[in-house]
Amino acid sequence: MAEEFVPVQTKVVTKPFLVLAALALTGLGLIAYRYVAGLGAVTNLSDGYPWGIWIAYDVLVGTALGCGGYAMAILVYVFNRWEYHPLVRSAVLTSVLGYTLAAVAIFIDIGRYWNGYKLFLPWQVNLSSVLVEVALCIGAYVVVLWIEFLPTLLEKHREHPKAAVWLRRLNHALPVIAAVGILLPTMHQSSLGTLMVIAGGKLSPLWQTSLLPLFFLLSALAMGFAVTAVESIASSYFFRRPYETPMLANLARVTAGVVAAYLVLRLADLLYRGAPVLSSGWLSAMFFLENLLYMVPLIFLVSPRAARNLRVLFLAGLALLLAGAVYRFNAFLVGFSPGPGWRYFPAMPEIAITLGLVSLELMAYLYFVKRYPVLPAQHG
Amino acid sequence: MAISRRSFLKLAAGAGLAAGASLAPAPVGARPPVPRLPEAVGILYDATLCIGCKACMSACKEFNGLPPEHTDPRAIWDDPLDLSAKTVNIVKLYTHGSGLAKDREVDGYAYIRRFCMHCVDPACTSACPVGALYKDARTGIVKYNPDVCIGCRYCQIACPYNIPKFQWDSPFPRIVKCQMCDHLQARGSFPACCRFCPTGASLFGEVRELLREARRRLALKEGEPTWFPLRRVDSGSHTYRAAPAYLPYIYGEKDGGGTQVLMLSSVPFAKLGLPALGEDSIASHSETVYHALYKGMLLPYLVLSGLVYLVYRNTTKKDLP
Ligand code: SF4
Ligand code: SF4
Ligand code: SF4
């Protein structure tokens, strides 16, 4: 049988890799300082804005960017679209890295981390808390993702007899693993939205709605498809490999469907609630930015000619990722106002820690694609 | 190539179910409102009696072991600007125009105390993932247990009054909030803020009796001579004075599902910085949305079964390597 996936045969330690390493080290140093001096010493968080970019970026955007594995699994395993299978592995890799770092970020963010294990004690958790569902599902999904990624690691050592046995066992368990791997993100990506329902009037009516779970789920799916396309195009470009053009064009149509559903529902909900779309000052501006970032790529994605143009696809994908990120920032930070006098903009060390974590993620990505069979084999 | 029709229908049904449940803002299974506990205790704060002496603030700090706060480094007194991890009770001032007449909205001023409202159906306890904030089953006091708190600060996002505060400058931070001097009550005493209030503006008692007292005051005619209990609603000692021009509203009777701290004032509560919350608690709303999807884990379980079936069928047919 021909190899479906192969490692990229280049050096791991390159100049960009060293730059990333420097950023990662800076971040790690600041994280150490946070544990000595408290959260106030490295962040601009306050009693009014208790959640900042670590939650909005590292957790919300980070896990949504990690939805590639989820989105592709739905296409392949649920809709039986095996033509997308070549994209699954790299999508799972981005997912496993994104989610693992989100879990790390949560651990850095919570103030009383030594009590963190209490979240996993069934008699301790509060079942009416949305945060319990989010935390347990993200925790479980990190484990599931590593299991899904395991075959990639094992294949490299397939001569080893133990590895072969485990590969077979994993393949047996695949239906269950894949099903759980689809259920868990459906649950927590929507619950991430539900988190803000309890903020009530502190979140602007442009974002506060009982439909937050549905919007978070749909936008996470859209980001999952977009990130897979962007990653595929970027890795083909940087590693000088052939482009997956027809597959990407089809993917574009699926993505367009999800985005269109999201926009229709979002608009209907705003109209139904009579939200002050035009009269909310700077929040209105952010609202329009967010939705333009959805609408413009949608226009390109539905046109069949444009969808075969890789440059257009790439830019549309980036725009959709940005749209999802802006939506998440709006729903958790920009549209959140605890009352007069409170303000939040991330502190330098706070940003540096996030940058450090992202650098770690990119370093891990580069390492894995160059050492393990992650990217699709070149056909033809 | 094409999505199999049958699998599509199945998935669509599942997705429809999920969407349907989250679409209905108040489905049949909406969580019922939480009633007041019969023995609940609380505080009645009457802004018209408050003279802004801040005796409650210093008493609160003394009896709760909280340090004074310097927001202005030149200040030689405790000068918190707002509630914080060092200040769980504060007296604030409203002024308008010339600011001459007490308890008048226009060209007047008024005091307002802020501290935990001890909600009947608290957002903080609904949000807290580990039950570190919890409501005493008898007294209804909302208490904090640092031994389980993970420091996630979701309670801060949830509380509509921005009450829970976090120790940002500590490597081992806690949540800090008014616990209605629970430790004093355990010794048979009562909240320090009420004990040291010289005018009876802060009054401790059972919520039932506090509500009765509040209604009695609202029934008074402006200028009518009357009496006001001191310290506790059942203390037996009173001051005597003319009834002020109350707004006919007891803040906390119904607001946000009701609170065990009740407030009376002559100046609209919105002007004094209290949020307009409606009569349903935000916790009941959030839990309704949440439970619509997760009640008994039925929906996730159904979806999972469907998924296992589909994936199994699709993978075996395809004959994976
Ligand atoms: S006022 Fe805030 S902290 Fe106090 S009980 Fe209500 S929700 Fe909890
Ligand atoms: S910070 Fe502590 S008290 Fe507040 S919600 Fe989190 S675990 Fe509960
Ligand atoms: S009840 Fe106790 S802790 Fe609460 S404000 Fe009064 S004195 Fe402070």
Side-chain angles (χ1 to χ4, degrees):
Chain A
M1 178 200 77
E3 304 266 337
E4 197 182 1
F5 302 98
V6 288
V8 179
Q9 303 292 353
T10 48
K11 272 202 324 209
V12 170
V13 181
T14 56
K15 252 200 212 116
F17 192 85
L18 290 175
V19 174
L20 292 174
L23 286 172
L25 275 179
T26 315
L28 290 176
L30 287 164
I31 289 170
Y33 183 57
R34 167 252 175 274
Y35 282 105
V36 180
L39 281 164
V42 290
T43 69
N44 276 347
L45 296 174
S46 63
D47 288 322
Y49 285 95
W51 288 353
I53 53 164
W54 294 348
I55 296 295
Y57 183 80
D58 299 37
V59 178
L60 295 170
V61 178
T63 60
L65 289 175
C67 275
Y70 166 56
M72 299 317 289
I74 291 186
L75 273 188
V76 172
Y77 298 124
V78 177
F79 287 101
N80 216 6
R81 305 284 289 257
W82 287 84
E83 71 265 32
Y84 294 112
H85 197 247
L87 296 181
V88 165
R89 271 220 181 150
S90 53
V92 167
L93 175 60
T94 355
S95 300
V96 85
L97 297 175
Y99 268 88
T100 307
L101 281 170
V104 171
I106 292 174
F107 211 73
I108 300 170
D109 186 82
I110 62 173
R112 298 173 66 79
Y113 47 88
W114 61 92
N115 276 341
Y117 72 95
K118 304 242 149 107
L119 264 174
F120 301 96
L121 306 180
W123 59 91
Q124 191 64 65
V125 297
N126 165 17
L127 286 180
S128 53
S129 171
V130 186
L131 195 59
V132 167
E133 200 272 325
V134 168
L136 295 188
C137 272
I138 291 188
Y141 190 49
V142 171
V143 176
V144 169
L145 278 169
W146 279 104
I147 298 178
E148 285 184 3
F149 189 58
L150 215 52
T152 313
L153 300 179
L154 289 174
E155 262 173 34
K156 180 172 162 152
H157 311 281
R158 68 161 94 231
E159 317 76 46
H160 199 286
K162 276 261 175 57
V165 173
W166 273 102
L167 262 177
R168 253 207 326 281
R169 283 193 196 153
L170 277 175
N171 272 331
H172 262 306
L174 180 77
V176 178
I177 298 170
V180 174
I182 292 170
L183 176 70
L184 289 176
T186 312
M187 287 169 72
H188 66 242
Q189 283 300 335
S190 55
S191 291
L192 283 171
T194 318
L195 275 181
M196 281 320 257
V197 171
I198 208 165
K202 292 200 270 183
L203 180 60
S204 151
L206 298 188
W207 293 279
Q208 182 61 281
T209 159
S210 309
L211 292 190
L212 272 168
L214 189 60
F215 295 151
F216 265 68
L217 182 62
L218 286 176
S219 62
L221 263 178
M223 285 173 86
F225 288 127
V227 81
T228 310
V230 166
E231 187 195 331
S232 163
I233 297 172
S235 62
S236 296
Y237 176 80
F238 284 115
F239 301 134
R240 297 190 191 10
R241 303 152 44 85
Y243 292 95
E244 312 280 350
T245 313
M247 201 186 310
L248 290 172
N250 283 336
L251 194 57
R253 271 190 303 149
V254 179
T255 316
V258 175
V259 174
Y262 168 88
L263 281 176
V264 167
L265 287 168
R266 180 99 162 88
L267 189 70
D269 173 59
L270 288 164
L271 287 175
Y272 173 78
R273 292 184 295 111
V277 171
L278 296 172
S279 53
S280 300
W282 117 272
L283 291 184
S284 292
M286 288 304 289
F287 170 85
F288 279 106
L289 173 68
E290 166 197 322
N291 286 290
L292 275 180
L293 282 169
Y294 273 117
M295 265 181 263
V296 174
L298 180 62
I299 293 167
F300 282 100
L301 290 182
V302 291
S303 121
R305 274 255 317 278
R308 292 206 145 261
N309 181 333
L310 283 177
R311 190 160 306 161
V312 171
L313 274 190
F314 185 76
L315 290 176
L318 278 186
L320 285 179
L321 293 182
L322 203 56
V326 173
Y327 175 57
R328 278 157 176 71
F329 267 82
N330 282 347
F332 270 70
L333 285 178
V334 178
F336 181 80
S337 165
W342 294 109
R343 234 169 306 142
Y344 170 75
F345 192 83
M348 276 317 284
E350 203 175 347
I351 299 172
I353 287 177
T354 286
L355 275 182
L357 290 180
V358 173
S359 306
L360 266 182
E361 183 174 352
L362 288 174
M363 284 162 70
Y365 181 84
L366 291 174
Y367 173 78
F368 279 116
V369 295
K370 290 178 180 179
R371 284 290 173 271
Y372 290 89
V374 172
L375 294 175
Q378 322 210 349
H379 29 235
Chain B
M1 270 311 133
I3 299 165
S4 116
R5 208 177 116 77
R6 215 147 55 97
S7 66
F8 178 76
L9 286 180
K10 267 196 222 93
L11 190 83
L17 202 62
S22 66
L23 267 168
V28 212
R31 203 202 69 174
V34 173
R36 284 187 189 275
L37 295 170
E39 292 179 59
V41 293
I43 291 173
L44 171 63
Y45 170 74
D46 188 331
T48 68
L49 296 175
C50 182
I51 53 170
C53 69
K54 302 181 185 172
C56 58
M57 286 176 66
S58 65
C60 177
K61 289 211 164 176
E62 183 182 343
F63 284 86
N64 288 285
L66 294 165
E69 195 167 352
H70 281 307
T71 48
D72 178 347
R74 290 160 306 174
I76 50 168
W77 54 89
D78 178 31
D79 67 340
L81 286 179
D82 207 334
L83 295 179
S84 72
K86 294 175 180 160
T87 302
V88 300
N89 166 45
I90 195 168
V91 178
K92 293 188 177 182
L93 175 66
Y94 161 82
T95 51
H96 177 272
S98 66
L100 286 178
K102 185 165 188 304
D103 297 314
R104 210 169 63 192
E105 184 184 350
V106 179
D107 283 336
Y109 72 98
Y111 295 110
I112 178 73
R113 252 191 89 192
R114 297 306 304 274
F115 55 111
C116 175
M117 301 293 283
H118 296 275
C119 302
V120 172
D121 184 10
C124 61
T125 60
S126 165
C128 179
V130 286
L133 286 170
Y134 64 100
K135 197 169 170 63
D136 186 283
R138 194 176 61 82
T139 62
I141 298 173
V142 177
K143 295 195 262 189
Y144 173 64
N145 174 8
D147 294 341
V148 292
C149 171
I150 62 169
C152 64
R153 313 184 294 282
Y154 191 29
C155 51
Q156 298 193 293
I157 297 276
C159 172
Y161 302 97
N162 297 324
I163 294 301
K165 301 295 169 186
F166 186 76
Q167 295 173 325
W168 295 100
D169 46 6
S170 163
F172 308 106
R174 289 180 177 213
I175 290 289
V176 186
K177 73 181 267 300
C178 156
Q179 304 184 61
M180 220 190 269
C181 287
D182 173 54
H183 60 302
L184 299 183
Q185 292 196 47
R187 301 206 298 255
S189 186
F190 60 101
C193 51
C194 299
R195 200 170 134 208
F196 289 91
C197 178
T199 66
S202 295
L203 197 63
F204 176 74
E206 289 202 359
V207 176
R208 274 181 310 186
E209 289 181 49
L210 293 177
L211 269 171
R212 199 176 308 133
E213 171 65 13
R215 290 196 190 105
R216 179 189 72 86
R217 293 184 197 179
L218 292 192
L220 298 168
K221 267 204 278 305
E222 183 182 350
E224 184 181 334
T226 187
W227 44 272
F228 294 93
L230 286 167
R231 299 183 293 279
R232 305 176 59 122
V233 71
D234 56 359
S235 67
S237 44
H238 304 96
T239 56
Y240 298 89
R241 51 181 283 175
Y246 285 114
L247 280 178
Y249 193 85
I250 306 174
Y251 192 98
E253 185 181 12
K254 302 231 170 75
D255 304 74
T259 55
Q260 292 180 201
V261 171
L262 305 166
M263 293 181 171
L264 294 175
S265 163
S266 299
V267 173
F269 287 99
K271 291 272 153 72
L272 301 179
L274 281 146
L277 296 177
E279 293 196 0
D280 295 326
S281 73
I282 189 66
S284 71
H285 179 59
S286 160
E287 290 180 24
T288 297
V289 172
Y290 181 52
H291 286 173
L293 296 168
Y294 290 103
K295 193 89 201 180
M297 294 304 281
L298 193 63
L299 190 62
Y301 183 73
L302 283 177
V303 176
L304 181 64
S305 326
L307 284 172
V308 172
Y309 169 79
L310 286 175
V311 177
Y312 185 74
R313 215 197 46 177
N314 291 341
T315 45
T316 43
K317 194 179 66 192
K318 183 67 189 181
D319 230 19
L320 259 185

